[in-house]
Amino acid sequence: MAEERLPSRADNFSEWYNQLVLRAELADYAPVRGCMVVRPYGWALWENMQAALDRRFKATGVMNAAFPLLIPMSFLEREKQHVEGFAPELAIVTIGGGEKLEEPLVVRPTSETIIGHMWSKWIKSYRDLPVLLNQWNSVVRWEMRTKLFLRTMEFYWQEGHTAHAAPEEAEVRARQMLDAYADFAENEAAVPVVRGQKSESERFAGALRSYSIEAMMGDTRALQAGTSHNLGDNFAKAFDIRYLDHENQQQFCWTTSWGLSTRFIGAVIMVHGDDQGLILPPRLAPYQVVIVPIYKSDAERVEVLQAVDRLVPELPGVRVHVDRREGLTPGFKFNDWEMRGVPLRIELGPKDIARQQVMLARRDVPGRDGKQPAPVAGLATRVQQALDEIHTSLYRRAESFRREHTHSPADYEELKQVVQNGWADAWWCEQAACEAQIKDDTRATTRCIPLDQPGGTGACIRCGEPASRRAIFARSY
Ligand SMILES: [Zn+2]
């Protein structure tokens, strides 16, 4: 049962990624081109992400709801920028029950329009505000060039939507949810992110301002890992979402929307993985610990499995999986779980039982260096410590990789070079013409204008005009 090795990450990052997703049984290609099937191991990872995010949303007063998959086509046409942005990607239902529909229905690409429509009925007075809701669902966008998790026709996500009485409240909420995403990325997924504002050309269709968290992948390309939009009163005006204020005057609401999708699974794979396979961040891993029993004879097998059964209850609150598969060598199992990214392995054999210990092996530290005996007494504490150490070490590794590959080019020629294998952090005049020229010359786009700015002013890296903010330029997924 010898497994073929994965393609080398350094030599062929793209193929390494594709094969890893399939081989780790995270997802598979669906019969419809561009769609994916998320397999149980991948879905378990997504469920842990959902739980971590859902907790954060609810802590800010958000409640979950469910809106329909099908949206009248006319709804999308009501917000001009919105329909222009989404028209090329729409899937449209024209026949239902064997009959041509009077009005075509859109399979939701996102739900601002239908939620706006319902809010216009539900929101009457300032007392009804704010409205804070979220839904977990899937959406469809007709993508031509797809890649598992990163870009698929149908993907899973959450879309949060809020409505407020004042413009400042919408801005505060958009930023608050961006912070929630950054906190999730860093403290659950060990993925360092830059929080920033999108340029006008990269803004969400219909938004006043868009924000994103951007992460550097293992090939130095950027990935937009979550977005949050201040929609101003654009959707309120398009859908007539109004309320009576304290003075009994009709006012338009101010709305936001924010989303994070299964794309984030792609980020986790590409930030942490290595030539052996996945390395899953301990707080999100479906299995935090895998126990591999080691035995040579049937008698040993019985003894070891009994010891394993005594061990599992010693690890409450830890997601433990016991690999009881027969007819496979321990070495095969080690490789298999390494490929599937389980953060911590416990090996238990007759010698360990005699010494009242187990062997712990860290996924993030290959070979002997990552292996240490640990006494069975106090194992739970030791395992928890190890999982926290792995989280911290994954985060630090990703952060130092990003630091090494983020440059502050002195001039335009240098920018052209550094974005071939990294990010450029440079002054930008914020004019679309410069952004477009840089993209033509280098294929790098503005990823974001970081919220964290050094202050002062500079000269635009391309045109030399005065610039008040720096931007991140990078090639991206
Ligand atoms: Zn410029």
Side-chain angles (χ1 to χ4, degrees):
M1 269 188 90
E3 280 270 326
E4 251 182 88
R5 286 182 70 84
L6 286 164
S8 143
R9 188 170 178 269
D11 294 345
N12 193 344
F13 194 81
S14 176
E15 204 38 40
W16 166 83
Y17 176 88
N18 292 340
Q19 297 232 2
L20 184 48
V21 169
L22 296 174
R23 233 188 271 172
E25 299 182 357
L26 294 174
D28 204 347
Y29 298 103
V32 173
R33 188 197 60 82
C35 291
M36 72 173 161
V37 179
V38 182
R39 300 185 65 176
Y41 193 59
W43 195 257
L45 177 57
W46 179 236
E47 282 178 333
N48 291 338
M49 291 182 178
Q50 287 183 302
L53 286 165
D54 211 61
R55 208 162 50 230
R56 284 169 171 77
F57 302 157
K58 284 174 179 160
T60 74
V62 172
M63 290 179 77
N64 286 329
F67 288 80
L69 172 74
L70 298 174
I71 301 175
M73 183 67 204
S74 60
F75 281 24
L76 268 94
E77 286 158 356
R78 277 202 230 165
E79 215 292 336
K80 191 172 159 288
Q81 290 176 337
H82 194 64
V83 72
E84 278 174 12
F86 280 105
E89 299 180 353
L90 293 180
I92 302 171
V93 180
T94 55
I95 296 172
E99 295 196 16
K100 190 167 185 296
L101 301 176
E102 268 181 44
E103 180 178 357
L105 302 174
V106 171
V107 181
R108 67 180 163 220
T110 177
S111 303
E112 278 78 5
T113 60
I114 191 155
I115 289 175
H117 172 80
M118 298 312 295
W119 279 349
S120 72
K121 295 184 177 183
W122 297 341
I123 299 171
K124 299 292 178 208
S125 132
Y126 68 89
R127 294 182 199 88
D128 300 328
L129 296 169
V131 178
L132 310 172
L133 59 84
N134 174 62
Q135 63 174 340
W136 291 98
N137 62 15
S138 68
V139 291
V140 169
R141 297 176 186 177
W142 213 267
E143 299 281 359
M144 290 303 162
R145 292 169 60 186
T146 58
K147 198 169 174 72
L148 291 170
F149 291 119
L150 298 181
R151 198 172 292 277
T152 49
M153 290 225 305
E154 182 185 13
F155 60 86
Y156 300 86
W157 74 341
Q158 56 70 217
E159 46 175 320
H161 298 267
T162 68
H164 306 267
E168 314 82 72
E169 286 178 37
E171 179 65 17
V172 166
R173 174 54 67 164
R175 295 279 293 265
Q176 180 183 16
M177 301 326 284
L178 186 76
D179 289 345
Y181 289 153
D183 182 60
F184 161 78
E186 298 187 337
N187 293 312
E188 304 283 352
V191 170
V193 293
V194 174
R195 289 170 307 149
Q197 189 180 337
K198 289 304 223 185
S199 72
E200 267 183 52
S201 73
E202 300 273 334
R203 205 166 57 188
F204 177 72
L208 181 68
R209 269 192 288 283
S210 286
Y211 299 100
S212 69
I213 52 169
E214 301 284 333
M216 183 185 280
M217 302 297 103
D219 62 351
T220 77
R221 281 166 74 178
L223 184 124
Q224 175 180 294
T227 53
S228 184
H229 315 290
N230 177 349
L231 303 171
D233 58 1
N234 292 341
F235 285 86
K237 284 184 169 154
F239 288 89
D240 199 32
I241 313 167
R242 285 190 291 178
Y243 70 98
L244 282 174
D245 69 10
H246 287 81
E247 277 78 47
N248 237 21
Q249 299 293 309
Q250 286 279 356
Q251 303 285 356
F252 283 110
C253 287
W254 302 83
T255 67
T256 77
S257 67
W258 25 278
L260 186 147
S261 75
T262 36
R263 215 167 189 234
F264 202 92
I265 294 177
V268 163
I269 299 168
M270 290 194 291
V271 168
H272 299 310
D274 65 12
D275 277 348
Q276 271 62 55
L278 296 175
I279 302 181
L280 294 177
R283 291 169 197 165
L284 297 176
Y287 305 139
Q288 296 172 304
V289 171
V290 63
I291 302 179
V292 179
I294 297 170
Y295 47 82
K296 292 204 175 78
S297 63
D298 282 350
E300 277 185 0
R301 180 168 176 273
V302 171
E303 184 202 358
V304 170
L305 286 178
Q306 280 172 351
V308 167
D309 288 340
R310 288 193 301 273
L311 195 63
V312 174
E314 298 293 318
L315 298 169
V318 181
R319 295 188 289 273
V320 181
H321 177 72
V322 180
D323 189 343
R324 298 176 191 272
R325 290 179 293 178
E326 290 183 37
L328 299 175
T329 64
F332 176 91
K333 291 180 176 179
F334 295 172
N335 288 338
D336 195 35
W337 292 113
E338 279 175 10
M339 190 269 292
R340 299 184 75 181
V342 176
L344 198 60
R345 181 174 74 232
I346 293 180
E347 302 168 14
L348 185 63
K351 281 181 197 156
D352 301 308
I353 295 170
R355 291 181 195 142
Q356 295 189 308
Q357 66 171 40
V358 299
M359 288 301 287
L360 290 182
R362 281 172 61 158
R363 173 63 181 88
D364 64 322
V365 184
R368 292 216 163 274
D369 293 345
K371 235 166 136 162
Q372 271 191 334
V376 171
L379 189 63
T381 311
R382 185 69 193 280
V383 162
Q384 201 52 60
Q385 271 172 1
L387 293 173
D388 285 341
E389 280 167 27
I390 295 168
H391 173 90
T392 305
S393 118
L394 290 178
Y395 182 86
R396 290 206 180 126
R397 192 190 292 181
E399 197 184 35
S400 72
F401 180 82
R402 187 182 69 183
R403 198 179 314 118
E404 283 158 26
H405 293 89
T406 301
H407 310 277
S408 301
D411 55 33
Y412 191 45
E413 284 312 306
E414 195 183 338
L415 178 139
K416 286 184 191 170
Q417 282 171 14
V418 299
V419 296
Q420 297 315 311
N421 187 33
W423 290 7
D425 174 352
W427 293 106
W428 174 45
C429 64
E430 298 185 40
Q431 293 183 52
C434 274
E435 189 181 21
Q437 190 63 54
I438 293 171
K439 188 176 176 183
D440 281 354
D441 291 344
T442 66
R443 289 187 298 148
T445 52
T446 55
R447 298 323 305 149
C448 70
I449 300 160
L451 297 180
D452 191 8
Q453 288 283 330
T457 56
C460 172
I461 191 72
R462 202 201 73 84
C463 71
E465 295 287 313
S468 60
R469 294 195 288 180
R470 296 178 73 89
I472 303 283
F473 294 90
R475 290 176 304 144
S476 72
Y477 281 96

